[in-house]
Amino acid sequence: MSDTAELKYTPGLSGNESHFFKWLIKVGEDIAEKNRKLLLENRTLQSEIERLKNINFIDETTGIHNKRYLQVRLKEEFARARRHGLPLSALFIDLDDFKAINDTHGHIIGDRLLKEVAAILAGLCRSEDALVRFGGEEFVVLMSDTDDREAVILAERIRKEIAEHLFVYESVEISLTVSLGVSTINDGDFEWVTDPEELIVTADSSMYRAKKSGKNNTCYVPLRPERENPLPSRCAERDYERISW
């Protein structure tokens, strides 16, 4: 054997040491498997929490969001609009004489009608708009970065679409109209409007004014009565002659 040759020696493990290392590896594998299962359970739990949260925000009759969702979304959109100086608008929509429809045709057809109205509204709103069933036969549309002109235009589109739509359920044909109230918080309004609920309250008041004007009508009322009418008279020339101020 050469004097320069390297001698290699690998010490062996005793029986106890070999058993210990095998046990240690097994423990590591078990921990890894438990962690994997725990992670999977956490993901499943989080998905269930999100599902329940979504259910909590969904109206069962119409399938759209409910008033609880509006309360959350309104605060978020109000803060965003104030932070970036953007207008924020709301439509308050009430189905005219809906009680008479329920009394005549029953609540099952009434519920079907509400669901179809919700589908019509969803088709006219933007994906970023918050469409909610406020309660009973009332709906609200919350629109970010939307001024008063744009809000009134959408309100009139909704009014005309529903007035021209024939609701048919088996042998029952129903014609329906809606009254709409419009309100807008403009950039300059944030100096004195501190409660986002004022937007919805004003839209609601505008809707009742539309009701008193003969129903099947759209009414806009500014949050500040002393503020000059921000909508030009030529708006009526765009085939929106039924708008009341």
Side-chain angles (χ1 to χ4, degrees):
M1 178 180 294
S2 171
D3 294 338
T4 60
E6 295 183 359
L7 294 176
K8 296 182 180 181
Y9 173 71
T10 303
L13 295 176
S14 67
N16 290 338
E17 291 175 331
S18 176
H19 178 75
F20 171 75
F21 278 106
K22 288 180 180 180
W23 173 82
L24 195 59
I25 292 172
K26 182 65 170 59
V27 169
E29 291 174 347
D30 289 345
I31 292 174
E33 179 63 18
K34 288 180 180 179
N35 286 339
R36 187 190 68 81
K37 290 181 178 180
L38 183 60
L39 180 61
L40 182 61
E41 289 176 1
N42 285 340
R43 288 176 178 173
T44 302
L45 180 60
Q46 187 62 35
S47 297
E48 182 65 11
I49 291 173
E50 290 298 323
R51 186 184 72 83
L52 293 174
K53 186 186 297 183
N54 289 334
I55 290 176
N56 202 35
F57 285 150
I58 296 297
D59 175 65
E60 292 183 2
T61 300
T62 60
I64 62 175
H65 288 112
N66 57 22
K67 185 177 180 180
R68 190 177 295 108
Y69 175 81
L70 176 64
Q71 293 170 338
V72 175
R73 184 73 180 273
L74 179 60
K75 292 179 182 178
E76 295 174 350
E77 293 297 344
F78 181 83
R80 175 175 173 269
R82 182 169 56 184
R83 185 165 58 250
H84 298 289
L86 300 172
L88 180 65
S89 293
L91 305 183
F92 204 104
I93 307 164
D94 185 88
L95 278 56
D96 295 329
D97 303 315
F98 183 72
K99 183 179 183 300
I101 294 174
N102 265 341
D103 292 343
T104 302
H105 303 289
H107 290 277
I108 292 178
I109 287 182
D111 285 350
R112 290 180 183 176
L113 188 145
L114 287 171
K115 187 172 183 178
E116 191 166 351
V117 167
I120 292 173
L121 296 177
L124 293 172
C125 294
R126 304 172 302 181
S127 59
E128 62 266 32
D129 296 334
L131 168 63
V132 307
R133 183 185 178 195
F134 195 78
E137 66 272 25
E138 298 173 332
F139 297 83
V140 168
V141 182
L142 181 66
M143 300 167 288
S144 61
D145 195 13
T146 302
D147 62 25
D148 36 30
R149 294 178 180 85
E150 295 167 327
V152 168
I153 288 172
L154 175 60
E156 275 295 284
R157 285 176 181 167
I158 289 172
R159 186 192 65 77
K160 291 184 177 183
E161 182 74 19
I162 292 178
E164 294 170 0
H165 185 84
L166 184 62
F167 298 85
V168 181
Y169 308 103
E170 298 176 356
S171 60
V172 178
E173 295 184 353
I174 301 174
S175 295
L176 179 69
T177 61
V178 294
S179 297
L180 302 97
V182 183
S183 63
T184 298
I185 300 178
N186 293 286
D187 184 20
D189 297 332
F190 287 106
E191 295 180 2
W192 62 277
V193 177
T194 58
D195 185 359
E197 288 289 340
E198 289 187 48
L199 181 69
I200 306 301
V201 170
T202 304
D204 187 24
S205 299
S206 301
M207 182 273 294
Y208 277 105
R209 181 172 170 180
K211 289 277 191 186
K212 293 178 180 178
S213 300
K215 302 179 182 178
N216 189 24
N217 207 354
T218 296
C219 179
Y220 168 82
V221 175
L223 269 77
R224 286 187 290 178
E226 72 277 8
R227 184 171 177 238
E228 293 184 2
N229 187 353
L231 295 170
S233 58
R234 62 185 174 86
C235 185
E237 299 173 6
R238 301 178 186 174
D239 196 26
Y240 300 140
E241 67 280 355
R242 295 184 62 84
I243 300 175
S244 60
W245 311 111

